[in-house]
Amino acid sequence: MSVDLRGWIRDVPDHPKPGIQFKDLTPIFAEPAAFRAAINWFDDQVLKRDPDVIAAIDARGFVFASPVADRLGIPLALVRKSGKLPPPVIRNQYSLEYEDLSAIEMRSDALSKGQRIVIIDDLLATGGTAVAAAELAEELGTYVVAQIFLVELAYLDGRERITNRDPDCEVVAHIVYD
């Protein structure tokens, strides 16, 4: 049975602030067939890239990446909001589309030099978090082969931000809003 995941995404106007059209993916989590379809899609995308490690971005990236890592037997590294991981950590500050400044962290022992990783998150908007996560991974000596998202808001140019920084990093999205 094929599931149209776009039909499970809800638009929430003016959230978290006026002028933002928020894409709510929580209905996908609430419907087992939709969630399974999303995980199956992520499985296929990760398998095609043959990574050593999956890095997941806090918090909804965890929801998608955890079952994929389990199913495929690939280690999972977490990229979390600042202050949530025990030391030792490395940190990166960056700007978001609706916040002035944010920071993410990764344990400094989460990845090993030379590993090929894919980064998974739910949604690509301006690419600030995605680029910050890639910078953390690369600081640890890894090679980011792909960033994989369920949804991309193409009109915010996040893909370009990622590929302008690293032309070799593949950007993959299942659902693209132009």
Side-chain angles (χ1 to χ4, degrees):
M1 172 176 93
S2 179
V3 176
D4 176 16
L5 293 175
R6 189 181 291 258
W8 290 96
I9 298 171
R10 183 175 71 105
D11 287 335
V12 180
D14 299 322
H15 178 76
K17 70 178 197 178
I20 301 288
Q21 181 76 5
F22 187 82
K23 297 293 185 190
D24 179 15
L25 306 185
T26 60
I28 291 172
F29 306 139
E31 172 52 47
F35 185 64
R36 190 173 309 108
I39 298 305
N40 289 341
W41 178 82
F42 275 108
D43 284 349
D44 291 343
Q45 300 311 309
V46 170
L47 280 171
K48 289 176 187 175
R49 277 99 193 150
D50 191 30
D52 299 309
V53 179
I54 296 169
I57 297 177
D58 197 346
R60 291 175 302 203
F62 297 174
V63 176
F64 291 118
S66 296
V68 172
D70 176 61
R71 285 174 163 189
L72 302 180
I74 300 172
L76 180 65
L78 303 181
V79 179
R80 298 222 47 201
K81 293 177 179 102
S82 184
K84 302 294 183 182
L85 289 172
V89 298
I90 58 172
R91 184 173 199 241
N92 194 352
Q93 287 189 301
Y94 63 100
S95 296
L96 284 173
E97 58 273 14
Y98 50 81
E99 291 179 21
D100 290 334
L101 193 63
S102 192
I104 56 172
E105 296 176 338
M106 177 183 281
R107 285 192 42 92
S108 60
D109 58 0
L111 302 171
S112 298
K113 188 174 182 175
Q115 288 181 313
R116 293 169 37 87
I117 72 164
V118 296
I119 297 174
I120 289 180
D121 203 1
D122 64 326
L123 187 138
L124 174 59
T126 63
T129 305
V131 166
E135 289 171 351
L136 284 176
E138 290 168 359
E139 185 177 330
L140 295 175
T142 68
Y143 175 63
V144 180
V145 296
Q147 296 223 26
I148 305 171
F149 307 91
L150 189 66
V151 173
E152 177 184 359
L153 306 179
Y155 53 89
L156 294 176
D157 299 324
R159 177 181 296 263
E160 288 75 21
R161 188 169 180 185
I162 294 168
T163 57
N164 284 343
R165 186 189 162 279
D166 181 0
D168 295 327
C169 180
E170 188 176 3
V171 179
V172 183
H174 183 49
I175 299 166
V176 178
Y177 292 93
D178 292 316

